[in-house]
Amino acid sequence: MKFTIEAIAPLPGLQARIDSKTKPPGSLGELERLALQIGMIQRSLTPSLGQPHLLVFAGDHGAAPAGISAYPQEVTWQMVENFLAGGAAISVFARHNGLRLQVVDAGVAHDFGPRSGLIDAKIASGTRNYLEQAAMSPEQRDQALAHGAAIVDGLAGEGCRVLGFGEMGIGNTASASLLTHQLTGTPLTDCVGRGTGLDDAGLARKRALLAQAAKRANLPPDADALDVLAEFGGFEIAMMTGAMLAAAAQRMLLLIDGFIVTAALLVAARHAPAVRDYCVFCHRSAEAGHQAQLRSLAAEPLLDLGLRLGEGTGAALAWPLVRAAAAFVNEMASFASAGVSEQI
């Protein structure tokens, strides 16, 4: 798939507008950088954050039954039910912060039927076991990318300017670890964490299994990112990748959550580097591999709260800061309008 994503560029008058507000220059710190980014993305001196959405992409992983997670695979569909019922952490945070939440069934091993708040984009009932073969065929990968892009194009048509990303899938920290190792060159051991709460023995087993998967695939260090995605990704990760590329092509602001979401972004950024310009890195995950991802993307997150839940919770928690950045540009008085003397 091809996406036309333009690198963002300086907008005449935007920095001056930020500097003219009644404050010492730079005194709002990261909010000023964020305001500048939002204005450049939208090519506007008065940015609008209309129709913000948060999409939680869900999928199952064929390697999960091998013991790479502390939880059984059926937790994936059970948590989707929790999202739809409004009882999960992301449900609460999205509701209280004014984000419209929708769940995307990218490949859950369960039949939900038509449900309010659920987008049925299922590729299959989970990926194949990457310990034995590629997680998905090239055709399945491309279908997932296309589905993600189509969902975003539909939201853009409704006026969505901001898109947050979350995920759910038992075993997907393992998938993200393999993607991170392959795409950043970081030693696999440094990319593998405890996920949903593995003990020491479980962590050792997870590392051994993922080393086995990496050896089986035997990919070269410069393997194409989409080939790496097909080897180790989940349908939810592939669909997020397509959604990110389409969102950047639509000049949306992308709210990037933690480890698994950033794994999808790594793939997208290798495929189309300009996508990174449209991203707000919302928080620093407690998962070890997230540090390698952030280094590779030269990213500094807004929050560092020790989160490792996923679901898009970091994106929802950072959203008020993003709103504040746009609000001060649009609503804060300037020195001239307030009659306040400027710096000598």
Side-chain angles (χ1 to χ4, degrees), residues 89-287:
I90 188 55
S91 310
V92 175
F93 296 156
R95 185 163 61 241
H96 282 273
N97 288 328
L99 288 163
R100 183 183 173 193
L101 176 65
Q102 290 181 284
V103 182
V104 180
D105 178 3
V108 180
H110 186 78
D111 182 11
F112 295 100
R115 302 285 293 278
S116 176
L118 179 69
I119 298 172
D120 182 2
K122 193 191 299 285
I123 304 299
S125 294
T127 57
R128 300 181 300 212
N129 184 355
Y130 55 63
L131 297 172
E132 301 169 353
Q133 59 185 316
M136 62 189 84
S137 69
E139 293 76 19
Q140 287 177 320
R141 175 203 61 204
D142 293 346
Q143 188 180 8
L145 293 168
H147 281 1
I151 291 168
V152 168
D153 288 344
L155 293 177
E158 298 173 7
C160 177
R161 307 295 297 274
V162 181
L163 191 57
F165 291 85
E167 42 61 43
M168 179 64 218
I170 292 301
N172 64 8
T173 60
S175 180
S177 296
L178 287 164
L179 293 170
T180 302
H181 161 64
Q182 185 67 42
L183 294 173
T184 69
T186 304
L188 182 58
T189 300
D190 296 339
C191 297
V192 182
R194 297 183 185 273
T196 50
L198 289 169
D199 59 17
D200 289 347
L203 179 60
R205 180 175 64 252
K206 182 178 179 180
R207 285 175 171 161
L209 288 170
L210 298 193
Q212 175 186 329
K215 182 177 181 180
R216 176 206 58 77
N218 194 29
L219 295 174
D222 60 348
D224 183 85
L226 296 184
D227 291 339
V228 178
L229 178 63
E231 282 290 342
F232 302 127
F235 291 132
E236 81 280 25
I237 295 175
M239 213 167 284
M240 276 195 290
T241 300
M244 289 172 180
L245 291 166
Q250 294 279 4
R251 301 193 77 88
M252 289 183 184
L253 186 69
L254 282 60
L255 305 181
I256 304 300
D257 192 49
F259 183 44
I260 294 96
V261 170
T262 310
L265 178 62
L266 276 177
V267 178
R270 295 293 185 272
H271 188 66
V275 71
R276 193 219 172 282
D277 292 353
Y278 296 80
C279 296
V280 174
F281 294 87
C282 293
H283 81 108
R284 187 185 309 277
S285 171
E287 273 289 311

Side-chain angles (χ1 to χ4, degrees), residues 32-122:
E32 296 195 25
R33 181 196 61 76
L34 187 53
L36 189 68
Q37 179 187 13
I38 296 168
M40 288 193 296
I41 286 171
Q42 297 190 359
R43 306 299 296 166
S44 173
L45 299 179
T46 56
S48 170
L49 301 178
Q51 301 293 319
H53 281 63
L54 199 150
L55 297 177
V56 176
F57 294 80
D60 276 308
H61 293 250
I68 56 175
S69 174
Y71 285 81
Q73 190 171 43
E74 56 264 28
V75 170
T76 301
W77 73 260
Q78 292 168 351
M79 281 302 300
V80 170
E81 290 285 2
N82 195 19
F83 299 147
L84 296 175
I90 188 55
S91 310
V92 175
F93 296 156
R95 185 163 61 241
H96 282 273
N97 288 328
L99 288 163
R100 183 183 173 193
L101 176 65
Q102 290 181 284
V103 182
V104 180
D105 178 3
V108 180
H110 186 78
D111 182 11
F112 295 100
R115 302 285 293 278
S116 176
L118 179 69
I119 298 172
D120 182 2
K122 193 191 299 285

